[in-house]
Amino acid sequence: MSTPTPLFVALALAAVVIPAAGQQAGHHLTGQTRPGAPAQAAALPLTAQEATVVAVPPGATETSVFMTLRNAGNTPVTLTGARSPLAGHTMLMKTQRDARGRTGMTAVKTLTVPARGTLTLSPTGDHLMLMDLTRPLKVGETVRLTLGAGPGRSLNVDAVVRKP
Ligand SMILES: [Cu+2]
């Protein structure tokens, strides 16, 4: 009467494994991701508005990027970095006020877009900096930026070079 135990265990394991695999496939993905799309195309639930690269004089080696990022998802999105063909490297920055009331910029490892909320990158707050510019920027041109949010999660943003 007690011999069916091994079969019962096998069925129980199968019941656990199959739903777990299905759940993982949909984890963190949004409706924008089509089945069969490459893993690197995993869409973030973010949209960027008013993305601006601040115009700088010829010879300047760095500039700032501003935009409003809106998160349509139910979980926060943590930005871990950015890249652009026009920048040797980039930095995520926070503008903070020190003990004497002076404001200054500090590089940070991450910036977070709250769930169902926005993160504003602005001259007086959090922002992104393009460092080691590879060539002069032209007012009105479009600059491709790729914001990263952890392994395989990124958002392409086309920002316009504008005078401050
Ligand atoms: Cu800065």
Side-chain angles (χ1 to χ4, degrees):
M1 290 289 273
S2 59
T3 47
T5 301
L7 177 60
F8 172 78
V9 169
L11 285 171
L13 283 174
V16 169
V17 167
I18 293 166
Q23 192 175 49
Q24 191 173 37
H27 189 60
H28 280 319
L29 301 181
T30 71
Q32 294 171 337
T33 302
R34 287 159 297 164
Q40 70 163 45
L44 289 168
L46 298 182
T47 50
Q49 294 168 309
E50 296 291 313
T52 297
V53 175
V54 176
V56 287
T61 57
E62 59 186 63
T63 187
S64 304
V65 178
F66 308 132
M67 70 184 76
T68 299
L69 287 165
R70 185 173 299 278
N71 180 2
N74 290 320
T75 54
V77 173
T78 301
L79 301 176
T80 52
R83 60 181 193 275
S84 168
L86 287 185
H89 71 281
T90 70
M91 297 173 77
L92 301 177
M93 312 286 298
K94 260 186 188 307
T95 304
Q96 288 169 325
R97 198 173 284 271
D98 70 12
R100 294 180 189 172
R102 296 174 304 191
T103 52
M105 293 190 293
T106 312
V108 291
K109 289 207 166 77
T110 63
L111 292 173
T112 299
V113 191
R116 302 251 159 226
T118 58
L119 171 69
T120 302
L121 304 182
S122 75
T124 54
D126 301 338
H127 59 279
L128 171 66
M129 297 207 56
L130 304 183
M131 314 298 290
D132 299 334
L133 294 173
T134 56
R135 64 165 173 79
L137 302 174
K138 283 165 269 181
V139 173
E141 76 167 313
T142 298
V143 175
R144 169 56 61 95
L145 308 167
T146 303
L147 307 181
R153 305 184 77 208
S154 63
L155 175 76
N156 288 330
V157 175
D158 289 322
V160 177
V161 177
R162 296 181 175 101
K163 288 183 178 167

